[in-house]
Amino acid sequence: MLENLSEKLQNALGKLTGKGKVSEKDIDGAMREVRLALLEADVNFKVVRKFTKDVKERALGSEVMESLTPGQQVIKIVNEELTALMGDTESKIEYSSKPPTVILMCGLQGAGKTTTTGKLAYKIKKENKRPLLVACDIYRPAAIKQLEVVGERAEVPVFSMGDKVSPIDIAKAGVEHAKRNGNDVVIIDTAGRLHIDEELMDEIKGIHDATNPDEILLVLDAMTGQDAVNVADAFNDILSITGVVLTKLDGDARGGAALSIRAVTDKPIKFVGVGEKLDELQAFHPDRMASRILGMGDVLSLIEKAQEGIDLEKAKELEERIRSQKFSFDDFLGQLEQMKNMGPLDELMKMIPGVNSKMLSGIDVGEKEINRIQAIIQSMTMEERENPEIINSGRRKRIAEGSGSNVPEVNRLLKQFRETKKMMKKFTDMEKKMKRGGGFKMPFF
């Protein structure tokens, strides 16, 4: 996500850090590199011009010139201006005080609208809402079936009337169905349409007028670059959109649309799609995105993922087992499964301040590596998992064959496990010694 831009901005600004004094020439040089990095990332050129102008004006002020750490002050300014550029704060769904809340999804063909509609329903359902999906795309072959499949995966009902009824009538009937059946959120999936197609744009205006939606979300493919801004303008003129959902941000190393949309259209990015899975639609936090672009990490998102993915009861049980020196391979396996629930490990590591994609190159921290470790553990008997010291050369060979790995890999895992147990023993011994002296707590619990 925005990796190329992130790397280039960090390189440009990194030249200022460590300098005892920063001159206007230094700032001009850094801003020239920042400008090129933003343009290469497909950020709108007017946005780039204003952004670099604002940063330079602030950087030439007394807060930088008189600072003991001028380079760090410039990075702070860039961080604040990037955040402001993308909207300062998270923009949430506005739920109606008189249910159902109606959300109208619109956008171009191929932007990932139907999949995003299902992901949004899944996300809303986790907030203890009862969403209903309404299938209004009667033009694309199998569009209704696709929404039904996505709805089934998300365990959210889908209202459809086939492809022979007007989308306006389907939308109206869908809202009435929601009222009768206690669905407090209605998400209307419409056909993808070009913003220059007057007939289809008139149709979506008709759906809008018939349902009076509380939210109108424009789904945009991040890879469309600067043209995404033109599309947003066109849809906004007709529908007065309330927000944008950027899809495929994980597949675009440039992602300039994320930095241009708010500045040009004055409409917030509410969500970003970062993968194919149902749970890979994330709320958009401008401040967190700015921090990640500048290599400052995203600790708040990391904490939220940990809270979502980790079972607190199991964590407490594990703490007790560690305290009593009973940590086994089964416990280790449970920890791996909880880590997988938090998402790809390499993505989680990028949220740690100071860690970037370059540092992770060559390090296997993906799901494949976790699956390999799981396979080795699952090839052990229950006795071997509880007492790894009984695993002799014959057992190692059997475990390797059973897990599709080799003996050196099994040996490496056994060594890592022994080292982990030693470290845990040190923590528990230290805790016992320091209990009287004031509150040492085992880390991560």
Side-chain angles (χ1 to χ4, degrees):
M1 191 193 299
L2 299 168
E3 281 183 7
N4 290 351
L5 173 63
S6 179
E7 188 178 327
K8 286 176 180 175
L9 285 184
Q10 287 177 51
N11 286 340
L13 297 171
K15 293 171 185 175
L16 298 177
T17 57
K19 281 182 177 270
K21 276 191 172 183
V22 171
S23 66
E24 185 171 350
K25 186 180 176 183
D26 292 328
I27 290 170
D28 280 338
M31 286 306 102
R32 194 178 304 113
E33 289 187 49
V34 167
R35 187 182 303 113
L36 284 171
L38 291 170
L39 289 171
E40 283 177 22
D42 225 0
V43 180
N44 181 279
F45 74 96
K46 289 180 183 174
V47 173
V48 174
R49 188 170 58 195
K50 184 177 185 308
F51 176 80
T52 50
K53 178 175 171 285
D54 291 347
V55 171
K56 183 181 173 181
E57 281 178 6
R58 287 186 61 187
L60 290 174
S62 59
E63 66 175 307
V64 171
M65 293 307 184
E66 296 172 15
S67 169
L68 294 173
T69 54
Q72 293 294 337
Q73 288 299 316
V74 173
I75 292 171
K76 178 174 176 283
I77 289 168
V78 172
N79 185 36
E80 289 169 357
E81 291 293 332
L82 266 180
T83 302
L85 190 66
M86 293 184 283
D88 281 321
T89 56
E90 177 194 0
S91 183
K92 298 182 179 180
I93 292 283
E94 295 288 336
Y95 292 111
S96 172
S97 56
K98 197 176 174 187
T101 297
V102 178
I103 302 172
L104 178 62
M105 309 292 284
C106 60
L108 301 181
Q109 293 162 334
K113 190 163 28 53
T114 299
T115 306
T116 300
T117 300
K119 289 179 182 177
L120 182 60
Y122 179 77
K123 192 173 189 66
I124 286 172
K125 187 182 176 189
K126 288 175 77 175
E127 297 174 17
N128 295 319
K129 302 284 185 185
R130 297 189 66 235
L132 173 74
L133 293 169
V134 178
C136 286
D137 183 354
I138 64 169
Y139 306 109
R140 182 167 58 89
I144 295 170
K145 180 64 180 172
Q146 183 190 355
L147 188 66
E148 287 172 346
V149 169
V150 173
E152 189 177 341
R153 280 170 51 212
E155 298 183 349
V156 172
V158 176
F159 178 85
S160 67
M161 297 172 70
D163 56 7
K164 307 298 181 199
V165 183
S166 153
I168 296 171
D169 291 336
I170 296 170
K172 279 197 291 188
V175 173
E176 290 305 315
H177 179 86
K179 288 176 182 175
R180 289 193 304 272
N181 289 274
N183 298 102
D184 49 10
V185 179
V186 177
I187 310 175
I188 303 172
D189 180 38
T190 63
R193 61 202 74 221
L194 292 170
H195 50 294
I196 53 173
D197 188 325
E198 287 186 21
E199 189 179 334
L200 282 177
M201 290 304 278
D202 285 343
E203 180 191 87
I204 199 163
K205 182 71 167 68
I207 295 173
H208 172 278
D209 294 344
T211 58
N212 191 26
D214 302 280
E215 289 273 6
I216 303 137
L217 299 182
L218 174 64
V219 181
L220 286 174
D221 183 337
M223 295 187 193
T224 55
Q226 288 199 38
D227 194 45
V229 175
N230 302 327
V231 173
D233 265 340
F235 274 90
N236 189 44
D237 286 343
I238 290 171
L239 296 173
S240 295
I241 63 173
T242 59
V244 172
V245 182
L246 272 184
T247 63
K248 307 175 191 176
L249 202 58
D250 58 314
D252 187 19
R254 297 174 305 165
L259 302 178
S260 306
I261 291 287
R262 179 62 184 250
V264 176
T265 67
D266 199 33
K267 300 298 177 182
I269 299 170
K270 295 208 172 189
F271 301 99
V272 289
V274 294
E276 294 296 319
K277 295 176 184 174
L278 273 177
D279 59 355
E280 290 180 325
L281 183 72
Q282 298 176 355
F284 183 72
H285 299 269
D287 53 342
R288 301 184 193 182
M289 178 63 80
S291 289
R292 289 184 73 173
I293 289 171
L294 294 175
M296 297 175 182
D298 184 0
V299 175
L300 287 175
S301 292
L302 187 60
I303 291 168
E304 285 173 5
K305 280 189 172 289
Q307 288 172 336
E308 287 174 14
I310 291 174
D311 185 320
L312 291 179
E313 285 303 313
K314 286 183 180 176
K316 283 179 186 174
E317 287 174 20
L318 178 63
E319 182 181 5
E320 287 305 314
R321 287 182 65 79
I322 291 170
R323 287 183 197 281
S324 57
Q325 306 286 305
K326 291 179 181 175
F327 186 72
S328 70
F329 265 117
D330 270 331
D331 298 316
F332 190 43
L333 191 61
Q335 288 297 97
L336 286 176
E337 284 165 358
Q338 294 208 48
M339 279 171 62
K340 281 177 76 173
N341 290 339
M342 290 171 64
L345 194 55
D346 53 347
E347 287 301 315
L348 296 176
M349 288 182 73
K350 286 177 193 173
M351 294 180 187
I352 300 169
V355 176
N356 57 43
S357 55
K358 210 177 234 183
M359 293 168 67
L360 295 175
S361 62
I363 301 174
D364 189 356
V365 290
E367 192 171 338
K368 189 177 176 183
E369 174 66 9
I370 292 176
N371 288 341
R372 187 186 64 79
I373 294 170
Q374 282 182 310
I376 293 173
I377 297 172
Q378 285 165 346
S379 293
M380 298 176 187
T381 65
M382 295 304 293
E383 188 183 8
E384 287 166 347
R385 292 187 206 181
E386 200 66 41
N387 304 296
E389 59 274 5
I390 68 169
I391 302 176
N392 56 25
S393 58
R395 289 174 184 257
R396 290 174 198 221
K397 189 177 178 184
R398 190 205 76 243
I399 291 166
E401 287 173 355
S403 59
S405 56
N406 54 48
V407 172
E409 286 177 324
V410 175
N411 288 339
R412 190 160 58 247
L413 178 60
L414 289 167
K415 184 181 177 184
Q416 287 170 346
F417 184 74
R418 283 195 301 272
E419 294 299 320
T420 302
K421 280 194 81 168
K422 277 182 195 173
M423 184 184 71
M424 288 176 172
K425 186 175 187 306
K426 281 181 185 176
F427 277 127
T428 50
D429 290 346
M430 197 187 305
E431 184 181 24
K432 286 171 187 173
K433 287 176 186 175
M434 295 182 70
K435 255 183 180 176
R436 293 180 198 164
F440 174 83
K441 185 90 169 69
M442 282 188 68
F444 315 121
F445 293 104

